Amino acid sequence: MAEEVVIAVDAMGGDDAPDVVLAGVAEALAHDATLRVELVGPKDVVEPFACATERCEARIATEVISMSEHPANAVKAKKDSSIVVGCNLVKSGEADGFFSAGSTGACLAAATLNIGRIKGVKRPALGVVIPAYQRPCLLMDVGANADCKPEYLRQFAIMGSIYMKQTHGIRSPRIGLLNIGEEETKGSLLAQEAYRLLSEGVSGFAGNCEGKGLLQGDFDVVVTDGFSGNICLKTIEGTAKMLFSYVKDALMATPLSKVGALLVRGNLAKLKGRINPDAFGATPLIGVKGVCMIGHGSSSATAIKNGVLASAREARAGVIKALTEAIQDDMNATKEGM
Amino acid sequence: MAEEVVIAVDAMGGDDAPDVVLAGVAEALAHDATLRVELVGPKDVVEPFACATERCEARIATEVISMSEHPANAVKAKKDSSIVVGCNLVKSGEADGFFSAGSTGACLAAATLNIGRIKGVKRPALGVVIPAYQRPCLLMDVGANADCKPEYLRQFAIMGSIYMKQTHGIRSPRIGLLNIGEEETKGSLLAQEAYRLLSEGVSGFAGNCEGKGLLQGDFDVVVTDGFSGNICLKTIEGTAKMLFSYVKDALMATPLSKVGALLVRGNLAKLKGRINPDAFGATPLIGVKGVCMIGHGSSSATAIKNGVLASAREARAGVIKALTEAIQDDMNATKEGM
């Protein structure tokens, strides 16, 4: 039986909160018998649900941060918001992790300010595990840091490698640098300098990864700045969505193809399910002193369920401890090398 | 009948040159009765073909720049290479445009150095016309300038807008800025400053465009730096390629779906053709004093044909004259505004 873990869940996060959040939490609890949830939100939302649900406790937070508020300002002003209260539960050790489908910016700010960074981490980053061909690939940063320095990317590589080791059991992750060519002299000044840092002392670094290579399954971790990473992630989503519409149109174009469509429908639906962002549910914020996962604003109950379960898996996998050690080792090695 | 145009074609450009280039040129000439080609390359390649082909003249270039050479150095060292000789034909007015499927970097360098920039253009940029939902969208820069300043992006917007007006007949192109959120305060420092410049005086600017929005058909022109643009373009290609493999696997998964696959095959092949990069054939270098189009290194004969025909269309559309006027007008307006 899996180790017991406690995940704090933001009841008010997401476009369809709290209803889909409660439904997702119920599904997650039913799926994982040693999971406990601290449900954070207004009294009238969290108390009735917690009373009626096993392994779920209510944590009252009187305020809510909306998607449109300025993240850092809102986190500072609303100390009793569900996002801030949830992060504080991780900080105090009452929860092993925090999950929210609310404002990404507010979660980033609250986690960084309230949970705090792992010692030595320059910038925590958002990762997303992409369903590349025949193996998963962690792309980071996908939006926490729009402007990056080369040394941030170097640290993303170290952290991403540990993350994939701990959560996916990959022994020696292959690390790539997102770039616009395969040769080391290619790319922006940031990419060129990051290449140099990565090749000089990050174990597992395997070279540049082009946008078209990301999904080919050549790498376990691909690092980039939060601007390019977010563009890349959203482009994958947008392209997949458009192609599925096109495929649907093509299948419905003629009477004969309609008959064929009936026969292939089941398999295509399975494929769509496999590459559906809902199946992943959440993106980890990597580099803070606690598990923190952020879901899509448009999360369905299934996405919430998967996000909560992923948070529990991450907490059980001992990611934070491993990250803390790796960053410390790297700092020691860099000091010795100087 | 269309106006007569002369396109200089690099016989040695591309992984399968010269064979596919010659085949593509023959197809283009057959398709366009008022097109003339100046075929540039080694004597033994271009002379026999030109002798046997109507409206085709041989231009001897004794050197070839390979894909692996340092672009700017190679262009300076190999004055008699097919790329440099081709660009010089545009400069001298003997050709109305130049097409190559060779080294993108060498073409950029040769076009910028030998044909020269349009007066006032800070940086020429590579554009690519993407098959967005129900309408084409020009994404630029897709790789000529890995590091950009905000004012470059502003000029890309002005040039891209004129390009889509002239080549696609779009009266008032809607311009977007590739960014990681829809709000104007989002993004890197570059994106934030570019947003300000665009919103202050570029007619047609319609706000930020996220990676997932690029293919939705909301914009006619989307501007970004060459790093993000290249990542975005290659990600679209990679995602489409992977999804087609997945769809194929899904169709072949069961005996029933195989029967269905037979019935939908024709329509899916048509779809694949429509979104195939070969159908576009070439990306324009926008901002130099002459038509210059660059094809994929892996161009097929069809891609070469389409690239040559696109170069001819661009020359006939009077893009260079319109760009020259627009940049001049903008410089005058900016001066007055100061």
Side-chain angles (χ1 to χ4, degrees):
Chain A
M1 213 161 161
E3 187 191 338
E4 185 178 285
V5 284
V6 182
I7 302 299
V9 177
D10 174 10
M12 306 310 286
D15 304 339
D16 301 312
D19 293 355
V20 293
V21 178
L22 302 183
V25 165
E27 286 180 36
L29 286 166
H31 190 273
D32 183 336
T34 50
L35 167 69
R36 305 186 63 87
V37 166
E38 297 277 341
L39 190 65
V40 190
K43 191 175 157 78
D44 62 323
V45 169
V46 296
E47 282 199 344
F49 182 84
C51 275
T53 312
E54 259 186 73
R55 289 175 280 121
C56 182
E57 219 172 287
R59 284 287 177 160
I60 293 163
T62 56
E63 294 172 298
V64 174
I65 295 175
S66 76
M67 293 288 198
S68 58
E69 286 179 81
H70 185 283
N73 294 349
V75 164
K76 281 174 199 156
K78 294 185 168 173
K79 302 263 184 241
D80 202 38
S81 60
S82 52
I83 289 176
V84 172
V85 171
C87 285
N88 283 337
L89 289 173
V90 177
K91 189 189 181 184
S92 67
E94 292 167 90
D96 302 302
F98 174 61
F99 171 79
S100 173
S103 157
T104 302
C107 290
L108 290 178
T112 309
L113 289 171
N114 295 43
I115 304 178
R117 283 175 283 167
I118 289 171
K119 196 185 162 194
V121 167
K122 294 177 204 294
R123 291 287 185 283
L126 273 175
V128 65
V129 179
I130 286 174
Y133 196 68
Q134 294 182 330
R135 75 205 274 193
C137 174
L138 176 73
L139 176 67
M140 77 186 272
D141 179 17
V142 296
N145 311 281
D147 291 292
C148 281
K149 293 181 181 172
E151 53 266 37
Y152 302 172
L153 268 57
R154 179 179 179 281
Q155 220 177 39
F156 296 167
I158 293 168
M159 297 196 291
S161 180
I162 294 291
Y163 187 88
M164 290 306 274
K165 266 186 205 169
Q166 298 296 123
T167 59
H168 287 71
I170 298 164
R171 237 177 261 185
S172 309
R174 280 174 61 86
I175 301 166
L177 171 68
L178 193 64
N179 207 337
I180 62 174
E182 285 175 10
E183 306 84 358
E184 66 172 279
T185 55
K186 287 277 178 154
S188 57
L189 297 174
L190 169 66
Q192 290 178 42
E193 181 61 14
Y195 190 101
R196 196 182 63 75
L197 291 178
L198 286 164
S199 56
E200 274 175 7
V202 175
S203 124
F205 180 58
N208 287 329
C209 168
E210 287 192 87
K212 66 183 172 190
L214 189 68
L215 294 167
Q216 280 170 4
D218 296 338
F219 298 93
D220 302 296
V221 177
V222 171
V223 296
T224 187
D225 63 276
F227 189 85
S228 304
N230 188 279
I231 296 289
C232 184
L233 176 65
K234 299 278 180 68
T235 302
I236 294 174
E237 289 179 8
T239 307
K241 198 176 157 193
M242 188 195 69
L243 277 183
F244 269 111
S245 314
Y246 279 168
V247 168
K248 203 175 154 191
D249 291 352
L251 295 184
M252 290 298 153
T254 59
L256 204 61
S257 71
K258 278 185 195 170
V259 177
L262 281 176
L263 301 176
V264 302
R265 196 166 55 173
N267 287 357
L268 283 182
K270 253 186 251 165
L271 165 61
K272 206 170 170 181
R274 191 151 56 97
I275 61 165
N276 186 341
D278 274 10
F280 308 97
T283 58
L285 177 62
I286 303 174
V288 290
K289 268 186 297 191
V291 169
C292 177
M293 291 200 113
I294 305 168
H296 257 270
S298 59
S299 286
S300 64
T302 306
I304 300 284
K305 175 188 102 174
N306 288 324
V308 174
L309 293 176
S311 307
R313 267 200 310 278
E314 194 177 318
R316 288 185 183 119
V319 173
I320 307 302
K321 184 166 170 282
L323 282 174
T324 308
E325 289 168 6
I327 294 292
Q328 189 58 53
D329 288 351
D330 182 57
M331 286 199 299
N332 294 342
T334 316
K335 218 176 278 168
E336 278 164 25
M338 268 162 63
Chain B
M1 215 159 161
E3 188 191 337
E4 184 176 286
V5 284
V6 181
I7 303 298
V9 177
D10 173 9
M12 304 311 285
D15 303 339
D16 301 312
D19 293 356
V20 293
V21 178
L22 302 184
V25 164
E27 288 180 35
L29 286 166
H31 189 274
D32 183 336
T34 50
L35 167 69
R36 304 186 65 88
V37 166
E38 297 277 340
L39 189 65
V40 190
K43 190 175 156 81
D44 60 325
V45 169
V46 298
E47 282 198 345
F49 182 85
C51 275
T53 312
E54 259 187 73
R55 288 175 280 121
C56 183
E57 219 171 289
R59 284 287 178 159
I60 292 162
T62 56
E63 294 171 298
V64 174
I65 296 175
S66 76
M67 292 289 197
S68 59
E69 286 179 82
H70 185 283
N73 295 349
V75 164
K76 280 173 200 156
K78 295 185 167 175
K79 303 262 185 243
D80 203 38
S81 61
S82 53
I83 289 177
V84 173
V85 171
C87 286
N88 284 337
L89 288 174
V90 177
K91 189 188 181 184
S92 67
E94 290 167 89
D96 302 301
F98 173 62
F99 171 79
S100 172
S103 158
T104 302
C107 290
L108 289 178
T112 309
L113 289 170
N114 295 42
I115 304 178
R117 285 176 282 168
I118 289 172
K119 194 184 164 195
V121 167
K122 294 177 203 296
R123 291 288 184 283
L126 271 176
V128 64
V129 179
I130 286 174
Y133 196 68
Q134 295 182 328
R135 73 206 275 193
C137 174
L138 175 74
L139 176 66
M140 77 186 271
D141 177 17
V142 296
N145 310 280
D147 291 292
C148 281
K149 293 183 181 171
E151 53 266 36
Y152 302 172
L153 269 58
R154 178 179 179 282
Q155 218 176 42
F156 295 167
I158 294 167
M159 295 195 292
S161 180
I162 294 291
Y163 187 87
M164 289 307 274
K165 266 186 204 170
Q166 299 296 122
T167 60
H168 287 71
I170 298 164
R171 237 178 261 186
S172 309
R174 278 174 63 85
I175 301 166
L177 171 68
L178 194 65
N179 206 337
I180 63 174
E182 285 176 9
E183 306 83 359
E184 66 172 280
T185 55
K186 288 277 177 152
S188 58
L189 297 175
L190 170 66
Q192 290 179 41
E193 182 60 16
Y195 189 101
R196 196 182 64 74
L197 291 179
L198 286 165
S199 55
E200 274 175 5
V202 174
S203 125
F205 180 59
N208 285 328
C209 168
E210 286 192 88
K212 67 184 172 191
L214 189 67
L215 294 167
Q216 280 170 5
D218 296 336
F219 298 94
D220 302 295
V221 177
V222 171
V223 296
T224 188
D225 62 276
F227 190 84
S228 303
N230 188 279
I231 296 289
C232 184
L233 175 66
K234 298 277 179 68
T235 302
I236 294 173
E237 289 178 7
T239 307
K241 198 175 157 192
M242 188 195 68
L243 277 183
F244 268 110
S245 312
Y246 278 169
V247 167
K248 202 175 156 192
D249 291 352
L251 295 184
M252 289 300 153
T254 61
L256 204 62
S257 71
K258 278 187 194 168
V259 177
L262 281 176
L263 301 176
V264 301
R265 197 167 54 175
N267 287 357
L268 283 182
K270 254 186 248 163
L271 166 61
K272 207 169 169 183
R274 190 148 58 97
I275 60 166
N276 186 341
D278 275 10
F280 308 98
T283 58
L285 176 62
I286 303 174
V288 290
K289 267 187 299 192
V291 168
C292 177
M293 290 200 115
I294 305 167
H296 258 269
S298 59
S299 286
S300 64
T302 306
I304 299 283
K305 174 188 102 176
N306 288 324
V308 174
L309 292 177
S311 307
R313 267 200 310 277
E314 195 177 316
R316 287 182 183 123
V319 173
I320 307 304
K321 184 166 170 281
L323 281 174
T324 307
E325 288 168 5
I327 294 292
Q328 189 58 54
D329 288 350
D330 181 57
M331 286 199 296
N332 293 342
T334 316
K335 217 177 280 168
E336 279 165 24
M338 268 163 65

PDB file of all heavy atoms in Angstrom, chain B residues 69-87:
ATOM      1  N   GLU B  69      28.827  24.760 -43.922  1.00  0.00           N
ATOM      2  CA  GLU B  69      29.787  25.871 -43.846  1.00  0.00           C
ATOM      3  C   GLU B  69      29.242  27.033 -43.026  1.00  0.00           C
ATOM      4  O   GLU B  69      28.024  27.235 -42.942  1.00  0.00           O
ATOM      5  CB  GLU B  69      30.116  26.368 -45.259  1.00  0.00           C
ATOM      6  CG  GLU B  69      31.018  25.424 -46.022  1.00  0.00           C
ATOM      7  CD  GLU B  69      31.306  25.935 -47.426  1.00  0.00           C
ATOM      8  OE1 GLU B  69      32.196  26.783 -47.560  1.00  0.00           O
ATOM      9  OE2 GLU B  69      30.648  25.466 -48.373  1.00  0.00           O
ATOM     10  N   HIS B  70      30.152  27.810 -42.432  1.00  0.00           N
ATOM     11  CA  HIS B  70      29.746  29.017 -41.718  1.00  0.00           C
ATOM     12  C   HIS B  70      29.195  30.000 -42.752  1.00  0.00           C
ATOM     13  O   HIS B  70      29.913  30.408 -43.665  1.00  0.00           O
ATOM     14  CB  HIS B  70      30.940  29.630 -40.991  1.00  0.00           C
ATOM     15  CG  HIS B  70      30.568  30.806 -40.144  1.00  0.00           C
ATOM     16  ND1 HIS B  70      30.309  32.049 -40.675  1.00  0.00           N
ATOM     17  CD2 HIS B  70      30.357  30.920 -38.816  1.00  0.00           C
ATOM     18  CE1 HIS B  70      29.981  32.879 -39.694  1.00  0.00           C
ATOM     19  NE2 HIS B  70      30.004  32.211 -38.558  1.00  0.00           N
ATOM     20  N   PRO B  71      27.916  30.371 -42.623  1.00  0.00           N
ATOM     21  CA  PRO B  71      27.249  31.126 -43.685  1.00  0.00           C
ATOM     22  C   PRO B  71      27.986  32.394 -44.124  1.00  0.00           C
ATOM     23  O   PRO B  71      28.348  32.523 -45.308  1.00  0.00           O
ATOM     24  CB  PRO B  71      25.884  31.461 -43.081  1.00  0.00           C
ATOM     25  CG  PRO B  71      25.627  30.374 -42.084  1.00  0.00           C
ATOM     26  CD  PRO B  71      26.981  30.051 -41.528  1.00  0.00           C
ATOM     27  N   ALA B  72      28.226  33.316 -43.179  1.00  0.00           N
ATOM     28  CA  ALA B  72      28.789  34.606 -43.587  1.00  0.00           C
ATOM     29  C   ALA B  72      30.195  34.437 -44.168  1.00  0.00           C
ATOM     30  O   ALA B  72      30.536  35.050 -45.190  1.00  0.00           O
ATOM     31  CB  ALA B  72      28.813  35.567 -42.400  1.00  0.00           C
ATOM     32  N   ASN B  73      31.002  33.572 -43.534  1.00  0.00           N
ATOM     33  CA  ASN B  73      32.356  33.331 -44.047  1.00  0.00           C
ATOM     34  C   ASN B  73      32.321  32.737 -45.448  1.00  0.00           C
ATOM     35  O   ASN B  73      33.101  33.131 -46.326  1.00  0.00           O
ATOM     36  CB  ASN B  73      33.121  32.376 -43.116  1.00  0.00           C
ATOM     37  CG  ASN B  73      33.361  33.003 -41.753  1.00  0.00           C
ATOM     38  OD1 ASN B  73      33.134  34.194 -41.573  1.00  0.00           O
ATOM     39  ND2 ASN B  73      33.816  32.190 -40.804  1.00  0.00           N
ATOM     40  N   ALA B  74      31.428  31.776 -45.658  1.00  0.00           N
ATOM     41  CA  ALA B  74      31.351  31.111 -46.956  1.00  0.00           C
ATOM     42  C   ALA B  74      30.936  32.096 -48.041  1.00  0.00           C
ATOM     43  O   ALA B  74      31.476  32.090 -49.154  1.00  0.00           O
ATOM     44  CB  ALA B  74      30.364  29.941 -46.888  1.00  0.00           C
ATOM     45  N   VAL B  75      29.983  32.964 -47.717  1.00  0.00           N
ATOM     46  CA  VAL B  75      29.504  33.942 -48.699  1.00  0.00           C
ATOM     47  C   VAL B  75      30.630  34.900 -49.084  1.00  0.00           C
ATOM     48  O   VAL B  75      30.784  35.274 -50.253  1.00  0.00           O
ATOM     49  CB  VAL B  75      28.272  34.701 -48.134  1.00  0.00           C
ATOM     50  CG1 VAL B  75      27.991  35.970 -48.930  1.00  0.00           C
ATOM     51  CG2 VAL B  75      27.058  33.781 -48.123  1.00  0.00           C
ATOM     52  N   LYS B  76      31.446  35.284 -48.083  1.00  0.00           N
ATOM     53  CA  LYS B  76      32.554  36.198 -48.372  1.00  0.00           C
ATOM     54  C   LYS B  76      33.659  35.501 -49.171  1.00  0.00           C
ATOM     55  O   LYS B  76      34.262  36.091 -50.065  1.00  0.00           O
ATOM     56  CB  LYS B  76      33.131  36.766 -47.067  1.00  0.00           C
ATOM     57  CG  LYS B  76      32.270  37.910 -46.529  1.00  0.00           C
ATOM     58  CD  LYS B  76      32.742  38.366 -45.155  1.00  0.00           C
ATOM     59  CE  LYS B  76      31.624  39.125 -44.431  1.00  0.00           C
ATOM     60  NZ  LYS B  76      31.793  39.088 -42.982  1.00  0.00           N
ATOM     61  N   ALA B  77      33.893  34.224 -48.846  1.00  0.00           N
ATOM     62  CA  ALA B  77      35.000  33.506 -49.490  1.00  0.00           C
ATOM     63  C   ALA B  77      34.635  32.999 -50.885  1.00  0.00           C
ATOM     64  O   ALA B  77      35.471  32.977 -51.781  1.00  0.00           O
ATOM     65  CB  ALA B  77      35.434  32.332 -48.606  1.00  0.00           C
ATOM     66  N   LYS B  78      33.397  32.590 -51.064  1.00  0.00           N
ATOM     67  CA  LYS B  78      33.016  31.960 -52.335  1.00  0.00           C
ATOM     68  C   LYS B  78      32.184  32.913 -53.196  1.00  0.00           C
ATOM     69  O   LYS B  78      30.970  32.768 -53.327  1.00  0.00           O
ATOM     70  CB  LYS B  78      32.241  30.668 -52.045  1.00  0.00           C
ATOM     71  CG  LYS B  78      33.104  29.603 -51.354  1.00  0.00           C
ATOM     72  CD  LYS B  78      32.341  28.297 -51.185  1.00  0.00           C
ATOM     73  CE  LYS B  78      33.276  27.160 -50.794  1.00  0.00           C
ATOM     74  NZ  LYS B  78      32.535  25.901 -50.497  1.00  0.00           N
ATOM     75  N   LYS B  79      32.881  33.838 -53.819  1.00  0.00           N
ATOM     76  CA  LYS B  79      32.208  34.850 -54.640  1.00  0.00           C
ATOM     77  C   LYS B  79      31.586  34.237 -55.889  1.00  0.00           C
ATOM     78  O   LYS B  79      30.710  34.826 -56.509  1.00  0.00           O
ATOM     79  CB  LYS B  79      33.220  35.925 -55.084  1.00  0.00           C
ATOM     80  CG  LYS B  79      33.930  36.618 -53.946  1.00  0.00           C
ATOM     81  CD  LYS B  79      33.267  37.940 -53.630  1.00  0.00           C
ATOM     82  CE  LYS B  79      34.027  38.710 -52.565  1.00  0.00           C
ATOM     83  NZ  LYS B  79      33.242  38.920 -51.343  1.00  0.00           N
ATOM     84  N   ASP B  80      32.065  33.053 -56.280  1.00  0.00           N
ATOM     85  CA  ASP B  80      31.510  32.435 -57.490  1.00  0.00           C
ATOM     86  C   ASP B  80      30.633  31.223 -57.143  1.00  0.00           C
ATOM     87  O   ASP B  80      30.518  30.284 -57.913  1.00  0.00           O
ATOM     88  CB  ASP B  80      32.637  32.042 -58.450  1.00  0.00           C
ATOM     89  CG  ASP B  80      32.117  31.932 -59.873  1.00  0.00           C
ATOM     90  OD1 ASP B  80      31.255  32.751 -60.258  1.00  0.00           O
ATOM     91  OD2 ASP B  80      32.549  30.998 -60.591  1.00  0.00           O
ATOM     92  N   SER B  81      30.038  31.281 -55.948  1.00  0.00           N
ATOM     93  CA  SER B  81      29.114  30.204 -55.569  1.00  0.00           C
ATOM     94  C   SER B  81      27.736  30.490 -56.165  1.00  0.00           C
ATOM     95  O   SER B  81      27.415  31.627 -56.494  1.00  0.00           O
ATOM     96  CB  SER B  81      29.006  30.143 -54.050  1.00  0.00           C
ATOM     97  OG  SER B  81      28.507  31.370 -53.561  1.00  0.00           O
ATOM     98  N   SER B  82      26.944  29.415 -56.286  1.00  0.00           N
ATOM     99  CA  SER B  82      25.629  29.565 -56.913  1.00  0.00           C
ATOM    100  C   SER B  82      24.750  30.546 -56.131  1.00  0.00           C
ATOM    101  O   SER B  82      23.986  31.310 -56.734  1.00  0.00           O
ATOM    102  CB  SER B  82      24.949  28.199 -57.041  1.00  0.00           C
ATOM    103  OG  SER B  82      24.929  27.522 -55.782  1.00  0.00           O
ATOM    104  N   ILE B  83      24.878  30.569 -54.802  1.00  0.00           N
ATOM    105  CA  ILE B  83      24.044  31.487 -54.006  1.00  0.00           C
ATOM    106  C   ILE B  83      24.444  32.940 -54.249  1.00  0.00           C
ATOM    107  O   ILE B  83      23.590  33.805 -54.482  1.00  0.00           O
ATOM    108  CB  ILE B  83      24.130  31.124 -52.495  1.00  0.00           C
ATOM    109  CG1 ILE B  83      23.381  29.804 -52.229  1.00  0.00           C
ATOM    110  CG2 ILE B  83      23.568  32.241 -51.632  1.00  0.00           C
ATOM    111  CD1 ILE B  83      23.462  29.296 -50.794  1.00  0.00           C
ATOM    112  N   VAL B  84      25.762  33.206 -54.243  1.00  0.00           N
ATOM    113  CA  VAL B  84      26.214  34.591 -54.449  1.00  0.00           C
ATOM    114  C   VAL B  84      25.915  35.051 -55.877  1.00  0.00           C
ATOM    115  O   VAL B  84      25.417  36.167 -56.094  1.00  0.00           O
ATOM    116  CB  VAL B  84      27.721  34.727 -54.119  1.00  0.00           C
ATOM    117  CG1 VAL B  84      28.229  36.113 -54.485  1.00  0.00           C
ATOM    118  CG2 VAL B  84      27.960  34.439 -52.629  1.00  0.00           C
ATOM    119  N   VAL B  85      26.190  34.192 -56.852  1.00  0.00           N
ATOM    120  CA  VAL B  85      25.928  34.564 -58.255  1.00  0.00           C
ATOM    121  C   VAL B  85      24.430  34.819 -58.461  1.00  0.00           C
ATOM    122  O   VAL B  85      24.020  35.781 -59.119  1.00  0.00           O
ATOM    123  CB  VAL B  85      26.453  33.471 -59.215  1.00  0.00           C
ATOM    124  CG1 VAL B  85      26.011  33.733 -60.647  1.00  0.00           C
ATOM    125  CG2 VAL B  85      27.987  33.398 -59.137  1.00  0.00           C
ATOM    126  N   GLY B  86      23.584  33.970 -57.849  1.00  0.00           N
ATOM    127  CA  GLY B  86      22.131  34.147 -57.966  1.00  0.00           C
ATOM    128  C   GLY B  86      21.672  35.477 -57.389  1.00  0.00           C
ATOM    129  O   GLY B  86      20.887  36.207 -58.013  1.00  0.00           O
ATOM    130  N   CYS B  87      22.192  35.807 -56.207  1.00  0.00           N
ATOM    131  CA  CYS B  87      21.819  37.096 -55.598  1.00  0.00           C
ATOM    132  C   CYS B  87      22.294  38.270 -56.456  1.00  0.00           C
ATOM    133  O   CYS B  87      21.596  39.284 -56.592  1.00  0.00           O
ATOM    134  CB  CYS B  87      22.386  37.206 -54.180  1.00  0.00           C
ATOM    135  SG  CYS B  87      21.489  36.184 -52.991  1.00  0.00           S
TER     136      CYS B  87
END
